[in-house]
């Protein structure tokens, strides 16, 4: 797939965290639709860092330019090119780690594979690439709205702290904390505390993000290679930091009997339960698609750790000062929505032509 | 992708559980290699049901015919076509459920999507399709062996029962039970008991399979769309029954700090730990690739449950007698190996040309 | 693409001229359609050799078996697998050319690329592979008929002899010679004579096949990568023996002025002329798609010629006795129809879901 | 394929003739290579209009910016993004044809397909898109040079005027006219006259471009779907204006006997002749790849012609003043080189990893 996700709603993306900016070319979006820059900007703002003390204090201003596909405010059917310029990146920050590979980063794998390394931030392999996905995902969500699909995502857990599982009505109606994208309340407060403590000691922390799509039309996908689960998994694991993906009952399914796990039909249509997470035999069932994503703690920490000198092959104990993001889960809520939206749009758009 | 997995080591597969048989066309396998039928048969035998009292007592004889790609015992570079005839399937078994959709099966989604249903077993959407993967995966494993790669899989958990995590030396050396593909010992005994009990009451049970690839060359894959994680996930979720996929630290990563999760470099090469499961920034690191797959309990149970009459749209309480597989995990060990082998071969084979 | 053509109406094919047979897996054909074996057989019969003195006298009996995708006489939406067994091939014919590469054949390129050679006929690289295309193309034509598309092909020229260009009404109504698939008459008679003379001296001859699709819906395709011309060209040049492909005015376009070549609009819709061959800017216009294919003379001749001994690297003057096809154009009429039908079905089928 | 050509050397392109500019994302180019902006600029200059009185007098300044993939003057293995800004386009030129569809252009097909039209020039469907191909093709040619491949293209014919076929030594050594990219001499002079005359009456003219690749490694490609001919054809017919593509003997092959067309082996390797144009059974033979492309006359003419009013559906006789290109063949020489270079790089690059 390379720098591409999707075939019918297809995006191709490129850029580096400290280059001129990020480009995404979007194919397959319907023509003759109003192109709403605000909606894309709104999604980009959800993802962008520097918004609260719980995320990185780097200030990435994620505005964007339209380089093709829109004429007089409407989409023309031509490929849509968006360009997100990099602003406020400070390349000089990175000169001191020019020859040093950081653990958990792409520094060493990229250097070994390509024999050269763009040492400004993660270079090519920066989480900032996901800004292109969020921009394209905003369009995908617009398209899905035409078909009655709504996607909601939230922070399910941070470190040891976990929200109780919300049922679908709660997900639609609960009051969210707008810094952590998690239900307001005690757990949320504790999450904020643990993030602060982690940040204070120059460390970072993992967590989980739940993403639910409501109103998904039936019969998208097929068994085996065209399985909607296969497609969604392909999209999500294209992103950095993800260590586990669960559908419906997820890891808990291991403990269930068939008589418990089989979702019983309702005579009026639909199912009593949704252990299958909205997908059976690779096809959507009309029930909500229900994902749980586990994200590792960000690799960038300022705590002292051993870095590998790529020239000398020796280890050096280094503390990398900087504005690191202590927890990526809240910002990932925007990314996860975008990825699921694009995967669904890729299946649904073929049907709508 | 449809009925295809892979691009460089590419398979295209088709068949139905009660049709004449299954076909798989394999492209990209190196030429001028001895084609060892025994090796493929051996892997097929690991997957086939009816081998012990812990699996289905259906007797699927998975022999196969070679329809192209092999000349005088060697591969020619031409596509290799294998045909696995169906034997011993009894179509008449299924006439009584002609109009009845079973929960957890593809019966209802396929009927809604295609307006017609092959009611013999799961028709197209039968787990028996994975026999084609196992056959092709045997060839992939042969190719990987040339490059020093070895894949081992085992039953990690069944229901509530879980083996302790084995370290990599143990995985290579422990004594396996040849019915459950799990370390011999108390846990294994208890697993057998729980399977028997489950089977006796006409129910089924879920579990987890761990799959580890040793000796994987560095630098396969790339960030984002060509991520090895993305590819592996795409392959695994193309299979039925899988509800969760974890790499390395998996769901546990949510609880770890960055300073804990970051795998520390060793000056002599490699890493102290393998939380990343052998893949960083989408690229293989040379550490073992380490997967954990959660499988739901088989949907086919003989316990009485509510089926949907597709003609009347009414629910009927039915007990489907038959030789159901109470737990798919042991047989899945062969499938998981095959899927991982094919995903790795797909990346490695391009490099070897 | 490998052994695959298409994405929405997708075929994957494999086989060898002297192996057990040919396999084709067809994906994307609509479900719940009557599967008419006769129609497929009829197209296969058009392609098969041994039908007249003007083609090879080899008797390839191209019957076929259905291995998946059809249940109780109807398509189920599952992939359709057809198997065309080889009958009457005589492998022993080829033992004498075991180490000899024939000019114009794949013998030498395949041996150099793969280090091994299936010396029975062309092995993998046999024109007989096109039987799988004809079978799949028969289904594609069935699908196209639902949308009002009809494809007609005929022998335009053989050697120096050429039919005058038929206009579209003539193509639909003219009386065809059923051995050469060319309009009956003097030119046809002369074509037969030239083929006989060529055959008598153990030689072969080239020619041209015209293929026209009537009733093609507008707006299939898109500019650039999704151009219908690009897709059709990809399909046709996947076949052996083709040396030139022309759309509409073809090579003659070089001589025309813009004011002559521009097809003038008709106020009532459509165009006065069809220099563009039914495709403008990569999109179908509703006018007939109009192709001209040039085919080289079959490489297999019994006339004495120099063969390359792959062991000694010396040339040997050899006369290969056998039942060679003196001219492939008449049989290609079936292949060309199939290729165009599949290319169009691949575009149209997405729209019909 | 959409806006993409290639898989291993893969480009994705977008833009409009009167938007902000054109974008191309290039994947697969080797890392750690000097990125030579001059070389790309030189190829762009060959394609750009306004260079002589024989082409359009529009002055498209095709400079470009690098948006990703290059760090400190070298390629990093990351995708390379080039942006070619539009300069000097005058959108107001087109306001008068806002509702008028020009024959031979995409105006009417795009409007019918997408229900909206970017009436500035051809909008999306502008030949100016090929600037992105030329830029990417310059990189492809750089890569091919590492492997000893050189591509030369020239104007073979314009209207009725045709150069005699050059042999391969002449192609490498003949003196070219730098306005028409054709051998200097009488034919060249007559070509210039015919272009001038055509331009003076507001008309345009077609022609043919020959493209030859020397030094191509053997064994690229495979029979059938991976045929190098199929790939090259797919690339070339993705471009506008092409009406015929010929390999080697091309349309002339129809007239040849097998004993004439079969390229005879040389004992020392290679072939006596090259009727197959460097490709046999889909694989490169080491002989030059030899293409002939026929291009229709540019559709844009200032001569009065009938345009279709898309609002009223009535025809209007209009003369579109403007700086039209009377013949595209000379500029296409750059495009043809780029397309062949990219197609070959796509095959060769996989082998070089």
């Amino acid at each position: 797939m390379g720098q591409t996700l999707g075939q019918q709603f297809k995006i191709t993306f490129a850029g580096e965290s400290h280059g001129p900016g990020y480009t995404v070319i979007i194919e397959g979006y319907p023509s003759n639709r109003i192109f709403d820059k605000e909606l894309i900007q709104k999604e980009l703002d959800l993802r962008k860092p520097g918004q609260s003390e719980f995320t990185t204090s780097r200030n990435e201003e994620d505005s964007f330019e339209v380089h093709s596909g829109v004429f007089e405010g409407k989409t023309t059917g031509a490929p849509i090119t968006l360009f997100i310029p990099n602003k406020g990146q400070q390349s000089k920050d990175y000169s001191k780690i020019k020859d040093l590979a950081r653990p958990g980063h792409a520094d060493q794998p990229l250097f070994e594979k390509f024999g050269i390394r763009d040492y400004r931030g993660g270079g090519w392999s920066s989480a900032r690439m996901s800004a292109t996905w969020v921009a394209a995902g905003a369009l995908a969500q617009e398209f899905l709205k035409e078909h009655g699909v709504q996607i909601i995502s939230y922070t399910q857990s941070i470190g040891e702290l976990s929200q109780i599982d919300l049922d679908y009505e709660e997900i639609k109606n609960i009051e969210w904390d707008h810094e952590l994208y998690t239900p307001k309340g005690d757990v949320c407060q504790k999450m904020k505390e643990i993030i602060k403590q982690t940040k204070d000691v120059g460390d970072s922390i993992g967590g989980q993000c739940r993403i639910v799509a409501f109103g998904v039309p039936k019969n998208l996908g097929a068994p085996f290679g065209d399985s909607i689960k296969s497609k969604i998994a392909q999209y999500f694991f294209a992103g950095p930091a993800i260590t586990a993906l669960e559908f419906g009952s997820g890891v808990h399914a291991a403990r269930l009997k068939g008589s418990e796990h089989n979702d019983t039909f309702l005579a009026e249509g639909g199912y009593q339960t949704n252990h299958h997470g909205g997908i059976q035999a690779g096809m959507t069932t009309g029930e909500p698609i229900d994902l749980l994503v586990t994200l590792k703690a960000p690799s960038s920490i300022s705590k002292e750790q051993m870095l590998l000198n790529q020239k000398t092959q020796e280890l050096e104990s280094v503390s990398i000062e900087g504005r690191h993001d202590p927890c990526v889960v809240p910002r990932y809520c925007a990314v996860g929505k975008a990825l699921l939206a694009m995967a669904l749009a890729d299946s649904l758009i073929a049907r709508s032509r």
Side-chain angles (χ1 to χ4, degrees), chain A:
Chain A
M1 302 299 292
Q3 299 297 116
T4 291
L5 290 173
Q7 294 181 300
Q8 305 297 325
F9 181 89
K10 176 181 162 195
I11 66 164
T12 306
F13 45 91
E16 290 129 22
S17 58
H18 292 72
Y22 284 86
T23 303
V24 59
I25 297 173
I26 303 158
E27 300 174 55
Y29 191 72
S31 65
N32 223 349
R33 301 301 201 278
I34 290 167
F35 181 81
D36 191 338
K37 282 197 72 162
E38 303 291 311
L39 279 163
I40 297 175
Q41 191 59 58
K42 204 179 129 199
E43 290 295 317
L44 281 173
D45 290 346
L46 292 178
R47 195 210 72 93
K48 86 172 178 198
Q51 303 178 96
S52 78
E53 56 183 327
F54 308 109
T55 62
T56 173
S57 43
R58 261 186 303 150
N59 193 10
E60 299 178 3
E61 247 189 80
D62 283 343
S63 63
F64 67 96
E65 303 163 10
V66 182
H67 281 182
S68 79
V70 179
F71 180 56
E72 298 183 339
K74 285 192 172 174
T75 59
T76 63
I80 298 168
T81 308
L82 306 181
F83 182 66
I84 307 172
N86 285 329
K87 293 170 187 165
Q89 269 67 25
Q90 294 152 289
S91 293
K92 53 183 180 284
D93 290 347
Y94 292 97
S95 60
K96 56 186 158 192
I97 59 158
K98 186 174 172 180
D99 298 318
L100 296 176
R102 297 160 298 169
H105 279 275
D107 299 351
Q108 183 63 3
L110 283 178
F111 182 71
E112 290 185 348
K113 186 177 180 90
F114 294 110
I116 185 173
R117 178 182 152 216
D118 177 352
Y119 53 78
R120 302 165 303 170
W124 171 33
S125 177
S126 166
R128 191 162 154 64
M129 188 74 85
S130 63
T132 66
W133 303 348
V134 170
L139 282 177
Q141 288 180 75
E142 276 299 286
F143 166 73
L144 292 175
K145 257 181 236 166
E146 295 183 11
H147 294 265
V149 182
Q150 185 196 13
I151 304 180
I152 299 176
S153 61
Y154 66 92
T155 299
Q156 170 66 35
S157 73
I158 286 176
E160 308 275 348
L161 295 164
S162 194
Q163 298 284 1
I164 54 157
D165 281 359
L166 303 180
D167 67 31
Y168 296 132
E169 279 313 299
E170 287 171 317
I171 290 175
K172 286 179 179 165
N173 297 303
I174 211 163
E175 206 178 346
W176 303 107
D177 176 89
H178 287 296
E179 290 178 320
L180 293 198
Y181 303 104
T182 202
K184 286 189 173 176
D186 282 358
V187 178
C188 176
Q189 277 315 309
K190 285 185 194 152
M191 283 178 171
K192 289 183 177 181
E193 281 159 32
I194 196 74
I195 292 177
K196 271 187 216 165
Q197 288 163 15
T198 304
K199 194 180 182 183
D200 287 348
V201 296
D203 212 337
S204 64
I205 193 159
Q208 292 180 307
C209 177
R210 187 176 175 198
I211 306 143
V212 183
F214 296 96
V216 180
K218 283 181 179 182
N219 303 334
L220 298 177
F224 310 115
D226 280 336
S227 162
I228 289 290
K229 276 160 94 167
S230 181
K231 184 187 298 222
I232 291 171
Q234 182 194 18
Y235 277 59
F236 274 81
F237 280 109
I242 174 172
T243 58
L245 176 65
E246 303 172 62
F247 287 84
S249 54
V251 296
H252 185 58
R255 298 166 181 269
L256 295 179
K257 299 280 171 64
S259 57
E260 296 164 324
H261 194 277
N262 283 349
D263 293 313
T264 304
F265 295 108
L266 294 174
E268 63 267 31
Y271 299 85
Q272 271 184 28
T273 49
N274 188 25
H275 292 116
H276 287 86
I279 304 169
Q280 292 193 17
M283 290 168 280
T284 55
T285 62
E287 300 298 306
I289 293 183
D290 199 340
L291 309 179
L292 190 63
V293 171
T294 302
L295 299 158
K296 70 171 184 176
S299 304
S300 288
I301 58 178
S302 46
K303 221 173 178 175
E304 192 165 320
Q305 54 179 352
M306 301 303 278
L307 273 63
L308 178 67
N309 188 312
Q310 296 177 321
K311 278 200 178 152
T312 64
Q313 285 297 307
E314 277 173 19
L315 297 180
E316 299 180 17
S317 182
V318 178
S319 164
I320 308 169
E321 299 300 328
R323 295 162 304 181
H324 303 304
D325 197 346
C327 182
V328 80
V329 183
R331 292 170 60 204
Y332 187 86
C333 291
V335 176
K337 267 202 300 182
L339 288 170
L340 182 53
M342 291 193 292
L344 293 177
D346 193 55
S347 294
L348 187 52
I349 222 157
R351 193 188 285 180
S352 69
R353 284 199 193 114

